[in-house]
Amino acid sequence: MFDDRSPIYQQIADKIKDEILSGALREDEQVMSTNQYASFYRINPATAAKGFQQLVDEGVLYKKRGIGMFVSPQAREQLVGQRRERFFAEVVDAMIAEARMIGIPLDEVVARIAAAQVPSGEAGR
């Protein structure tokens, strides 16, 4: 599950965020404890705890003392907003800059994107 691209605690946080975005974890749903997570993935419990704490600090998870960690209400909306901003900054803005640099008119880029909106086989339905 883990790779060398980023710290394991960050990969844990990202995995839980992805589970929230995909709907696998819903608001107010309890998540695995740090010890369960550490045992399941065979990692140091302190590493798992650091990933969970990051999510608490970001407002994605909240703690119920003596019970565990839960997905915060509005966590999915918050994450969607963050990913949306990141998508535009990293993908769309970069695409626009590249198109300008190589002389592709933006209306041509927009037309290409619009054409991709219709999945193949669904045109004319």
Side-chain angles (χ1 to χ4, degrees):
M1 171 190 162
F2 303 111
D3 58 40
D4 293 333
R5 290 180 287 147
S6 61
I8 291 174
Y9 77 88
Q10 184 62 56
Q11 293 179 60
I12 290 167
D14 290 344
K15 180 177 178 7
I16 292 170
K17 288 177 181 179
D18 288 346
E19 290 172 352
I20 293 168
L21 284 167
S22 73
L25 286 173
R26 301 193 186 282
E27 72 176 47
D28 294 316
E29 184 175 340
Q30 187 170 11
V31 298
M32 260 193 279
S33 74
T34 55
N35 287 333
Q36 289 171 322
Y37 208 91
S39 176
F40 185 81
Y41 289 107
R42 296 184 177 151
I43 59 172
N44 186 318
T47 301
K50 188 172 182 179
F52 278 66
Q53 187 59 51
Q54 177 182 327
L55 295 172
V56 169
D57 293 346
E58 292 176 7
V60 174
L61 298 180
Y62 67 94
K63 297 178 187 180
K64 284 187 181 179
R65 189 177 178 116
I67 299 175
M69 301 261 199
F70 295 80
V71 177
S72 296
Q74 310 302 318
R76 187 173 190 289
E77 288 178 36
Q78 174 188 336
L79 293 171
V80 166
Q82 290 170 354
R83 293 274 178 103
R84 181 183 177 91
E85 288 303 313
R86 190 172 77 197
F87 172 79
F88 281 107
E90 294 177 4
V91 177
V92 177
D93 294 348
M95 178 184 59
I96 291 168
E98 178 74 10
R100 285 184 173 144
M101 187 168 62
I102 61 175
I104 298 174
L106 290 182
D107 59 343
E108 191 174 322
V109 173
V110 170
R112 181 74 171 252
I113 292 169
Q117 286 182 327
V118 179
S120 62
E122 291 188 15
R125 279 190 184 180

